[in-house]
Amino acid sequence: GVAQVTVRDALNQALDEELERDERVFLLGEEVAQYDGAYKISRGLWKKYGDKRVIDTPISEMGFAGIAVGAAMAGLRPVCEFMTFNFSMQAIDQVINSAAKTCYMSAGAIPVPIVFRGPNGASAGVAAQHSQCFAAWYGHCPGLKVVSPWSAEDAKGLLKSAIRDDNPVVMLENELLYGVAFELSEQAQSKDFVVPIGKAKIERPGTHITLVAHSRPVGHCIEAASVLAKEGVECEVINLRTIRPMDIETVEASVVKTNHLVTVEGGWPQFGVGAEICARIMEGPAFNYLDAPAVRCTGADVPMPYAKILEDNCTPQVKDIIFAVKKTLNI
């Protein structure tokens, strides 16, 4: 039947199943082996698979990301964990110049089947150097696929798809979701279960306004929708799941139905995921169906402050989403 599974356990299951399924798959990163992972995502895997498959690295992102990219070019299927995506900046040369561009520059002769994964975006009380969302950065680059899960089902299904994909995939997880339990259907508990990359999911159908989000803000949108439903406003909540390639068709179909759009993200406004969605809607067939301008609900345009009250004011809260909806619907 249906099980309650945390995002942490869903990711652990996915890694375990894929390590078992294909001996070319291996995991490397800081603390992933003997310590069971900085966030316990890889709990038990080193004991089960040993040093060849689960590898502790020095604190040297550029080094171990480079080793992983080379391994992928040579036919292995590495999963490279960053302890936070803020520190993938040390290795962004490897991710973009070495991994993302190689298949194109080799005319398809050299695939690079690699997954870069770890926590992305704001956690709690860790200040600016650990709180940035990189969805827009990595989503900007052709040659990468970029996924951003919310629920346990997203996390498990997208990680399995990412590992099986022959392209480099960046998987942006959220530290604050790791301990959150979600319902996992019987289907999603199976070893064959995958979530296709590039397909959004309608988490809540509605008729009055479309809310589009990825990662943790999906939960905030669902909460906001519940509050608004009591006031007679029915929100359609779309969980983007994938940043690149972006499923704009699902968003368009929803906007055609609701005639209103609010995008929600934890990242910064300038050149953000919401900015891209708004531009694509503007350029496409759904624009004629909009009854009001599309509105972005984003993080504040500042480096993340350390103080809790300031942090709360810098990330979109349920009240901010409700405010954006009411503004858009003119109520």
Side-chain angles (χ1 to χ4, degrees):
V2 176
Q4 287 282 329
V5 178
T6 64
V7 169
R8 173 181 287 110
D9 289 340
L11 291 164
N12 182 271
Q13 277 176 31
L15 285 168
D16 189 7
E17 288 169 13
E18 296 305 303
L19 281 160
E20 186 178 61
R21 177 176 175 268
D22 186 343
E23 61 187 20
R24 295 171 299 175
V25 175
F26 70 99
L27 172 67
L28 82 170
E30 294 142 352
E31 310 279 22
V32 297
Q34 294 188 33
Y35 187 69
D36 273 345
Y39 305 98
K40 303 290 176 260
I41 302 296
S42 51
R43 186 188 282 136
L45 298 180
W46 175 65
K47 267 208 170 85
K48 183 170 176 182
Y49 296 100
D51 291 323
K52 266 212 164 72
R53 309 286 303 283
V54 184
I55 303 166
D56 277 331
T57 64
I59 302 174
S60 170
E61 281 78 11
M62 181 182 267
F64 68 74
I67 286 169
V69 172
M73 289 174 175
L76 296 177
R77 304 187 80 87
V79 178
C80 175
E81 176 178 311
F82 295 122
M83 205 182 278
T84 155
F85 260 94
N86 296 265
F87 303 149
S88 74
M89 293 298 95
Q90 294 283 337
I92 197 166
D93 180 46
Q94 302 288 9
V95 178
I96 306 299
N97 288 322
S98 306
K101 297 175 183 176
T102 293
C103 188
Y104 181 85
M105 292 177 75
S106 67
I110 307 172
V112 187
I114 185 169
V115 180
F116 300 100
R117 51 155 294 272
N120 168 71
S123 178
V126 291
Q129 290 184 348
H130 299 76
S131 296
Q132 192 174 334
C133 175
F134 291 93
W137 284 52
Y138 287 115
H140 184 62
C141 300
L144 288 179
K145 293 185 180 182
V146 183
V147 298
S148 181
W150 167 60
S151 66
E153 180 185 293
D154 295 347
K156 183 174 183 186
L158 286 170
L159 181 51
K160 288 169 74 79
S161 281
I163 291 170
R164 296 178 190 191
D165 201 291
D166 284 334
N167 300 280
V169 182
V170 171
M171 177 149 174
L172 304 169
E173 298 158 13
N174 187 291
E175 188 187 331
L176 296 176
L177 288 172
Y178 283 155
V180 179
F182 290 87
E183 286 192 347
L184 206 58
S185 67
E186 205 155 343
Q187 180 198 5
Q189 291 169 54
S190 130
K191 285 186 179 178
D192 302 320
F193 176 75
V194 291
V195 167
I197 293 172
K199 195 81 196 81
K201 182 187 180 191
I202 296 170
E203 295 288 349
R204 182 193 166 110
T207 48
H208 295 136
I209 189 163
T210 301
L211 299 178
V212 187
H214 66 96
S215 189
R216 191 160 167 261
V218 174
H220 296 345
C221 287
I222 290 170
E223 279 180 59
S226 302
V227 175
L228 287 157
K230 296 192 178 88
E231 300 177 37
V233 176
E234 290 299 329
C235 301
E236 179 143 295
V237 179
I238 297 177
N239 172 6
L240 217 47
R241 282 181 161 178
T242 305
I243 306 299
R244 172 184 278 266
M246 189 178 275
D247 180 3
I248 208 70
E249 294 77 19
T250 295
V251 182
E252 279 175 342
S254 180
V255 169
V256 165
K257 181 171 75 169
T258 68
N259 312 114
H260 299 90
L261 174 66
V262 171
T263 66
V264 185
E265 66 190 305
W268 292 318
Q270 192 156 319
F271 313 113
V273 175
E276 175 66 16
I277 293 168
C278 291
R280 298 274 278 275
I281 291 299
M282 178 97 192
E283 291 165 351
F287 174 70
N288 293 320
Y289 291 85
L290 279 175
D291 287 343
V295 170
R296 292 177 290 163
C297 190
T298 71
D301 203 12
V302 295
M304 183 63 70
Y306 170 69
K308 182 165 185 8
I309 186 137
L310 294 176
E311 182 176 73
D312 289 345
N313 279 294
C314 278
T315 47
Q317 307 294 325
V318 173
K319 64 175 169 52
D320 303 314
I321 298 168
I322 293 169
F323 179 81
V325 168
K326 289 184 168 179
K327 180 178 145 186
T328 307
L329 292 173
N330 203 14
I331 52 176

